[in-house]
Amino acid sequence: VTPVLWHIVISHYSEKARWALDHKGIEWTGRTPPPGSHIPVALWLTRGRTATFPVLELDGEAIGDSTAIIAALEERFPQAPLYPADPTLRARALSLESFFDEEVGPFIRRFAFHGLRRDPEQFAAVGAQAAPALFSKLGPLATAYGRAYTGLRYNAADDAAADAARERALAGLDRLEAELDGGPYLAGDAFTVADLTAASMLMPMVLPPEGPIELDPVPDGLAEVRDSVRDRPGFRWVEEIYRRHRRP
Ligand SMILES: N[C@@H](CCC(=O)N[C@@H](CS)C(=O)NCC(=O)O)C(=O)O
């Protein structure tokens, strides 16, 4: 049976799971229920174990959390490995995966939504990419709902919290550059889960053309930060990793 991925188009955690599936050349089907239903749907699919998307249905099992999804894929589809064979490199790759998941992902999301919330027109444009049916049916109401939701759920309305989140995101870029140390990959001399995760988590800031978010123009709040880092080696590295390794 074809694996089914329950995902959110614009989400960087969903991007991780999609990228792993695509990297391994696995055929998959996507389901994208409307925003607001994610938590109950995820809980229902995983019988209360996971409240977030992505969730992957694989061989009759529902797996929540992008890290667990990649672990399951790695076991079930060993071709095009994302884990290094060498145990030391593997430990390094997994620890970088959790660093970018936990110390970078939530903060990028907060400051990106903070910037977006200030521009209702752009918010509507992104909303339409995330939930086309909902936004075409409800129009401005969907935008109001989305702004309220991201404010509450991701603390994206608070200016001070958004400033702090931007600093955390930039610290993630510092760490990326330090770990790369001028090299092309984070763990060994091949593309691994560490590279996939770092690039996915930084995607909402870098907005690579191969990624899932199209923003033209980039809203002011986000553009300011993006412009301030776009010549940095870490930013260019994310673009390059997307260009070379993100096959649709
Ligand atoms: N640790 C989880 C985090 C996933 C996550 O935070 N997903 C968010 C979207 S970016 C979500 O499903 N949110 C549901 C909601 O807040 O309504 C993973 O790696 O999969």
Side-chain angles (χ1 to χ4, degrees):
V1 262
T2 309
V4 176
L5 184 71
W6 296 75
H7 66 129
I8 301 172
V9 173
I10 60 169
S11 151
H12 46 359
Y13 293 103
S14 291
E15 174 71 351
K16 257 185 86 184
R18 291 188 299 256
W19 195 337
L21 286 159
D22 293 341
H23 173 79
K24 288 175 173 291
I26 301 164
E27 218 180 290
W28 57 278
T29 312
R31 298 262 188 285
T32 54
S37 71
H38 297 140
I39 297 175
V41 170
L43 287 169
W44 169 73
L45 286 167
T46 63
R47 298 167 197 246
R49 286 188 308 270
T50 309
T52 51
F53 273 29
V55 171
L56 181 70
E57 291 185 291
L58 179 67
D59 298 334
E61 204 194 333
I63 306 155
D65 194 278
S66 61
T67 299
I69 289 172
I70 294 183
L73 290 175
E74 195 65 10
E75 206 175 291
R76 170 83 171 66
F77 304 93
Q79 80 279 10
L82 284 165
Y83 289 178
D86 174 78
T88 311
L89 284 179
R90 179 184 294 219
R92 174 178 164 78
L94 292 174
S95 112
L96 285 167
E97 177 184 26
S98 73
F99 170 79
F100 285 100
D101 274 352
E102 280 148 39
E103 306 294 330
V104 180
F107 304 102
I108 294 255
R109 176 172 63 198
R110 181 172 300 150
F111 96 72
F113 272 126
H114 180 266
L116 203 55
R117 291 175 88 266
R118 293 199 302 205
D119 187 338
E121 229 168 84
Q122 281 290 348
F123 196 101
V126 172
Q129 290 168 40
L134 198 71
F135 273 76
S136 73
K137 223 181 312 175
L138 296 182
L141 208 57
T143 303
Y145 169 77
R147 290 181 77 249
Y149 191 87
T150 52
L152 288 168
R153 173 88 176 135
Y154 301 134
N155 195 15
D158 183 322
D159 292 339
D163 281 345
R166 192 190 55 229
E167 292 314 307
R168 297 288 295 267
L170 294 176
L173 199 62
D174 293 340
R175 170 95 190 256
L176 172 66
E177 291 171 356
E179 297 289 350
L180 281 168
D181 197 21
Y185 298 111
L186 282 165
D189 49 17
F191 179 75
T192 68
V193 67
D195 307 297
L196 182 156
T197 303
S200 298
M201 290 303 121
L202 291 165
M203 170 276 289
M205 180 162 81
V206 174
L207 301 171
E210 300 81 3
I213 307 176
E214 271 173 60
L215 279 176
D216 192 18
V218 178
D220 290 348
L222 191 52
E224 219 172 274
V225 181
R226 188 164 177 264
D227 290 344
S228 75
V229 293
R230 67 181 317 154
D231 289 326
R232 286 185 49 170
F235 189 102
R236 298 232 182 265
W237 177 86
V238 172
E239 291 181 318
E240 178 70 11
I241 285 288
Y242 258 91
R243 201 156 39 230
R244 294 187 34 202
H245 294 280
R246 184 69 184 98
R247 286 182 204 98

